[in-house]
Amino acid sequence: MSATPVSHSGFPAARSAEDIARNLAAVRARIAAACARAGRDPAEVRLLPVSKTVEEARIRMAHAAGLSEFGENKVQEAREKAEAMADLPIAWSVIGHLQTNKAKFVARFAAEFQALDSLKLAEALDRRLQIEGRSLDVFVQINSSGEASKYGLAPEYAPAFLRELSALPALKVRGLMTLALFSADAARVCACFRLMRNLRDRLHDSAPDGVTLDELSMGMSGDYEIAIEEGATVVRVGQAIFGARPLPDSHYWPGGAP
Ligand SMILES: *Cc1c(COP(=O)(O)O)cnc(C)c1O
């Protein structure tokens, strides 16, 4: 393993279309390099740009730079952006914790939901999707760090949860998602990603009907290179493309960097 976690303060600002294109090219080069180190084909790794707190004008610049999907942590912000940019062919991925009473919004506009971690929420989403006549790609969020503060299912509950999900026809389970430990210690970050890779591999061949587990969504601006070396198929990258965020991570998940 040669990548190390990056501190969360040093991301280059991106105010113009040129800045965004430059940052994007740098991220893609790093993805390609991580793939080369791991003997992987870069086409196996999907870059999901995360646009939370990024205002409409800069998302439009990013779209003009060739990006056509964006991840958002909060459903209200995602909804507002989806409406404001309904003129663009953008696929919105909701990647943050969702309250059951907001399932109806995700069922309406989202192309994907990556933070599924309770049966109650899954049932609410399935019911709402059926009303909308839609289906939705979902990822099951796993707590890979063992921190009590993190969202996601404990790994040992994943098999039973997948069986329950297979009974919900509007949910198309694609894989697992996690946030690794926030640490400058690469070995500890790496351990979270390995746990995910092993869990996915173990569940893959015995996945219940209607559930596929090809995808592993793991890695963010600070640790996506490590995640790729450990098998990520989706990396969720915000600040390395759009610049450092004004809001601390603790606004988005419990226990995030203050
Ligand atoms: C914000 C966020 C990311 C991206 O974090 P960056 O540090 O901006 O790369 C990834 N996953 C989730 C769930 C997020 O909320």
Side-chain angles (χ1 to χ4, degrees):
M1 191 191 58
S2 37
T4 50
V6 171
S7 100
H8 278 242
S9 51
F11 298 111
R15 293 184 193 88
S16 65
E18 292 70 31
D19 291 345
I20 292 171
R22 179 204 61 220
N23 289 351
L24 192 56
V27 169
R28 288 200 172 120
R30 286 175 172 274
I31 289 174
C35 284
R37 285 194 297 273
R40 301 184 61 196
D41 177 353
E44 290 171 19
V45 179
R46 168 182 156 213
L47 171 62
L48 175 61
V50 174
S51 54
K52 68 193 190 208
T53 75
V54 177
E55 69 284 8
E56 180 177 343
R58 289 196 299 143
I59 295 177
R60 286 183 179 275
M61 290 175 194
H63 181 266
L67 300 178
S68 58
E69 58 170 355
F70 295 97
E72 287 282 342
N73 183 291
K74 294 197 184 287
V75 67
Q76 176 66 23
E77 182 175 347
R79 237 177 108 198
E80 286 168 9
K81 287 176 176 173
E83 270 171 36
M85 289 172 262
D87 58 308
L88 299 180
I90 289 176
W92 296 95
S93 176
V94 176
I95 59 176
H97 181 72
L98 183 66
Q99 289 169 343
T100 304
N101 63 3
K102 293 186 178 154
K104 59 178 175 286
F105 302 123
V106 167
R108 268 180 217 147
F109 77 88
E112 179 180 85
F113 176 57
Q114 292 207 358
L116 189 58
D117 63 357
S118 88
L119 184 59
K120 206 168 119 218
L121 174 59
E123 288 171 344
L125 272 172
D126 187 66
R127 195 165 54 241
R128 288 293 178 169
L129 286 160
Q130 294 199 35
I131 293 169
E132 301 287 331
R134 301 182 65 216
S135 64
L136 184 68
D137 287 345
V138 297
F139 289 58
V140 173
Q141 184 172 355
I142 302 288
N143 180 342
S144 61
S145 65
E147 295 164 286
S149 61
K150 284 263 169 73
Y151 291 121
L153 220 62
E156 59 268 30
Y157 294 134
F161 188 53
L162 292 173
R163 281 194 296 278
E164 291 169 328
L165 293 183
S166 75
L168 303 175
L171 299 183
K172 307 293 174 205
V173 181
R174 302 298 183 201
L176 306 179
M177 176 275 222
T178 203
L179 278 85
L181 188 77
F182 293 105
S183 167
D185 181 348
R188 296 181 68 203
V189 174
C190 198
C192 296
F193 295 143
R194 286 214 176 133
L195 178 152
M196 293 295 291
R197 167 76 178 266
N198 290 335
L199 181 66
R200 194 278 314 265
D201 289 352
R202 199 148 42 76
L203 297 173
H204 186 269
D205 293 335
S206 58
D209 282 352
V211 170
T212 57
L213 289 178
D214 296 328
E215 306 296 335
L216 261 186
S217 175
M218 53 189 201
M220 314 184 359
S221 290
D223 57 15
Y224 68 92
E225 295 162 273
I226 305 176
I228 289 169
E229 290 174 7
E230 297 304 327
T233 66
V234 183
V235 290
R236 309 178 308 269
V237 179
Q239 299 180 87
I241 297 172
F242 293 109
R245 259 189 308 277
L247 289 168
D249 285 345
S250 56
H251 179 74
Y252 292 97
W253 54 77

